[in-house]
Amino acid sequence: MTEPRGPIDWARQQQTEREQRAEQPGRHTVDTITSDALDQLYARIDTLEHVAASNKQAYVDAVKDFQAVEEAALVLGAAYEWHLHALDRIRLAVGSLCHEPHPSHDHVCPDDVLRLVEAALAQPKEPRP
């Protein structure tokens, strides 16, 4: 039998398997079940309960992991926004230092600083070694 591709296929496959099991001869009734067959049924129930508990724990763990990722994304998003606003404040601060031309002078012109900072910010960041 092929693997189901989605929940509808899975449900159809389960229904088909249930129908096939119901049609099989030798299915036990209350009057015909043996002690060994009853022991096998209880063992199967124990196994299925264990599997269900494991699945439940896996689901709980996955939800916790997802929540942790969501929280990290919120923190990173807030940090990103903070840095964007910080860059805007830097641009405004450096830009407010100098608005008049300085053809020749012996100090560093804030206009040059602003151009250098903006050029540095526009460059793609190289990964660290």
Side-chain angles (χ1 to χ4, degrees):
M1 186 167 278
T2 61
E3 288 293 316
R5 293 186 178 203
I8 293 174
D9 285 345
W10 182 85
R12 286 181 181 146
Q13 180 179 341
Q14 294 300 311
Q15 180 63 31
T16 301
E17 289 173 7
R18 278 193 298 275
E19 290 169 357
Q20 289 171 352
R21 282 193 304 268
E23 293 172 1
Q24 293 174 353
R27 188 164 169 99
H28 298 291
T29 65
V30 174
D31 297 328
T32 63
I33 194 162
T34 64
S35 179
D36 289 340
L38 188 60
D39 289 343
Q40 288 176 349
L41 285 174
Y42 279 120
R44 184 170 181 208
I45 288 170
D46 289 342
T47 301
L48 292 174
E49 285 175 342
H50 178 72
V51 169
S54 295
N55 288 345
K56 180 180 178 181
Q57 187 59 49
Y59 175 78
V60 168
D61 291 343
V63 168
K64 287 179 184 176
D65 290 344
F66 181 76
Q67 289 171 338
V69 168
E70 274 187 323
E71 290 172 15
L74 290 173
V75 168
L76 289 173
Y80 175 76
E81 289 296 322
W82 184 89
H83 284 89
L84 284 180
H85 292 299
L87 290 174
D88 288 341
R89 290 191 303 273
I90 291 169
R91 286 186 180 107
L92 287 172
V94 173
S96 68
L97 293 175
C98 184
H99 290 293
E100 52 196 64
H102 295 283
S104 64
H105 42 61
D106 60 353
H107 65 279
V108 175
C109 178
D111 289 336
D112 295 334
V113 173
L114 177 61
R115 277 192 291 281
L116 288 173
V117 169
E118 287 181 338
L121 293 174
Q123 293 177 359
K125 184 177 179 182
E126 295 181 17
R128 291 183 176 181

